[in-house]
Amino acid sequence: MSGKVAEPPSSQQAPVAEGPPLAAPTSPVDSEELTGAVDDRIRVALLLPLSGPNSKLGEALLHGAEMALFDTADDRFSLIVKDTGGDPDGARRAAEAAVAEGARMILGPLFGQQVAAAGPVARTAAVPLVSFSTDLNVSGDGVWVMGILPRIQVQRVVGYTSSRGLRRIAVLAPASPYGDAVVNALYQSAARTGAAIGAIQRYAPEETKLSPLVTALGSEMDAVLLPEGGNRVRVLAPLLAYHDIDPAKVKFLGTALWDDPTLGAEPTLIGGWFAAPEPGPWANFAARYREFYAEAPPRLASLGYDGTALASVLARSPSGPDFSPETLTQPNGFAGIDGIFRLTADGGVERGLAVLEVRREGPVVIDPAPKTFEELGF
């Protein structure tokens, strides 16, 4: 699996090398600080919801971070773990405590509202904050989002679809912030690829009577984007087919919400395309996680690993620890469980994703993720 992070020059991409650890990571019991054995420690804070309604997600991100510590950190690297609880005030207090304890970089929080609360604390202290959020509205000026943004997923699948001659793309999306991000990304992708945008239909997330919206999509399209997952897309796809949007003639497209091995049980989704990280590194990570923690990880757990591995690499820079914006946003980026990524000057993130096709037996990669950003053409 993706294990140790190699120590590159500052201008080089930081690859994740192969190699399983020799033993399981150790969870912190009595201390908030996962630390080495010497006094000249390089402190990085990890802000997670370890209590409240999202504590299971927070625990999984912490486990991912523990695995990265075991694989990549040296004895000087110290991870200060802080609980953000379930509200923005908890995130603000956690950030204040992290700064007071000498954190030189902050990882987390997870949710946009908490990032908005913690961000000003980090900015005032000139401490870079790399969150696990996908909310670009809270990023910028020393605060980054590291999540797999909807715009990256849409750009990748639309670019691939257009390159295959399917250029008129419609969308049926929920009227939600996620749906807004997808539709906006479709417009941006169309401008970049020369694709044409067909009908756009939106619906309330709780809406159940969707037939009128489906028929309003019309028939003048090469592909239709369905940014839903789980049971919702299992209902939408056959509804489209029922209203004569034939998946044999119109390509069904999705986002990383389609990264579900059971979707192939719905016949109308078979052959659909979506963008997501390469499945191999995640599968290996998940197997190790299950071995260590006796449960399957949620998909977000890899962000805890990749964020902590990034921080530990920067802490071991040849010229000394370097968490500067220039190093965080180096053009060649870094590599992790979820593939190559690089933070951008505006607080966003760019990623190299694969394109996968839904098959009965599970998703299959039909266009591999790039290994360098040069392959992406930017």
Side-chain angles (χ1 to χ4, degrees):
M1 89 137 246
S2 295
K4 294 186 180 296
V5 179
E7 183 175 317
S10 62
S11 63
Q12 297 293 313
Q13 179 176 303
V16 177
E18 296 295 319
L22 300 178
T26 301
S27 298
V29 178
D30 298 319
S31 175
E32 287 185 314
E33 189 167 355
L34 307 181
T35 182
V38 294
D39 292 333
D40 56 340
R41 291 172 290 182
I42 301 164
R43 292 178 171 85
V44 170
L46 180 64
L47 276 52
L48 296 173
L50 299 174
S51 61
N54 295 293
S55 60
K56 289 297 291 182
L57 272 179
E59 181 182 69
L61 284 159
L62 176 58
H63 288 338
E66 290 166 353
M67 292 170 67
L69 277 178
F70 188 87
D71 289 351
T72 68
D74 63 20
D75 287 342
R76 295 178 62 205
F77 188 82
S78 181
L79 196 63
I80 305 170
V81 182
K82 296 294 181 184
D83 180 15
T84 61
D87 57 65
D89 282 344
R92 176 184 52 77
R93 290 191 297 270
E96 290 171 344
V99 168
E101 292 176 32
R104 298 175 64 172
M105 176 179 177
I106 295 174
L107 300 171
L110 176 57
F111 300 108
Q113 288 184 335
Q114 293 192 347
V115 178
V121 177
R123 291 185 183 105
T124 298
V127 174
L129 184 151
V130 179
S131 77
F132 303 124
S133 173
T134 59
D135 186 353
L136 286 167
N137 293 319
V138 299
S139 67
D141 190 22
V143 174
W144 285 268
V145 294
M146 188 181 169
I148 303 176
L149 304 179
R151 76 176 183 188
I152 300 173
Q153 302 164 38
V154 174
Q155 287 170 358
R156 180 68 167 102
V157 74
V158 168
Y160 179 80
T161 301
S162 298
S163 74
R164 295 305 183 269
L166 307 177
R167 307 188 66 83
R168 187 170 180 83
I169 302 173
V171 60
L172 179 62
S176 66
Y178 181 77
D180 293 343
V182 166
V183 172
N184 290 337
L186 180 59
Y187 277 106
Q188 295 167 6
S189 300
R192 290 178 58 180
T193 65
I197 298 177
I200 295 176
Q201 294 295 327
R202 308 292 299 275
Y203 53 87
E206 68 277 5
E207 181 60 65
T208 57
K209 297 180 179 179
L210 297 174
S211 288
L213 294 176
V214 171
T215 56
L217 286 172
S219 58
E220 298 299 319
M221 69 187 89
D222 299 316
V224 58
L225 180 60
L226 304 173
E228 291 274 19
N231 290 332
R232 190 66 156 175
V233 76
R234 289 182 176 88
V235 171
L236 282 175
L239 185 63
L240 266 64
Y242 177 80
H243 288 285
D244 298 324
I245 301 176
D246 185 353
K249 299 177 181 178
V250 176
K251 181 62 68 176
F252 288 7
L253 307 177
T255 63
L257 295 175
W258 284 27
D259 195 5
D260 177 350
T262 69
L263 280 191
E266 170 48 54
T268 54
L269 287 170
I270 293 175
W273 295 339
F274 66 95
E278 289 268 4
W282 163 257
N284 291 330
F285 170 81
R288 281 184 65 202
Y289 187 106
R290 286 191 297 270
E291 178 185 353
F292 296 157
Y293 302 110
E295 61 182 5
R299 191 60 185 83
L300 288 176
S302 57
L303 292 177
Y305 185 103
D306 285 354
T308 303
L310 168 65
S312 71
V313 165
L314 300 184
R316 293 187 288 107
S317 296
S319 58
D322 185 358
F323 304 106
S324 66
E326 293 76 18
T327 298
L328 283 167
T329 59
Q330 59 179 282
N332 287 340
F334 306 91
I337 302 297
D338 292 323
I340 60 170
F341 66 95
R342 63 181 177 189
L343 304 176
T344 57
D346 63 357
V349 64
E350 295 171 342
R351 289 182 173 274
L353 302 179
V355 177
L356 297 94
E357 183 173 277
V358 178
R359 303 273 179 87
R360 190 176 304 279
E361 66 276 12
V364 173
V365 174
I366 57 172
D367 195 42
K371 302 301 182 186
T372 68
F373 282 97
E374 287 77 7
E375 293 180 51
L376 287 175
F378 56 82

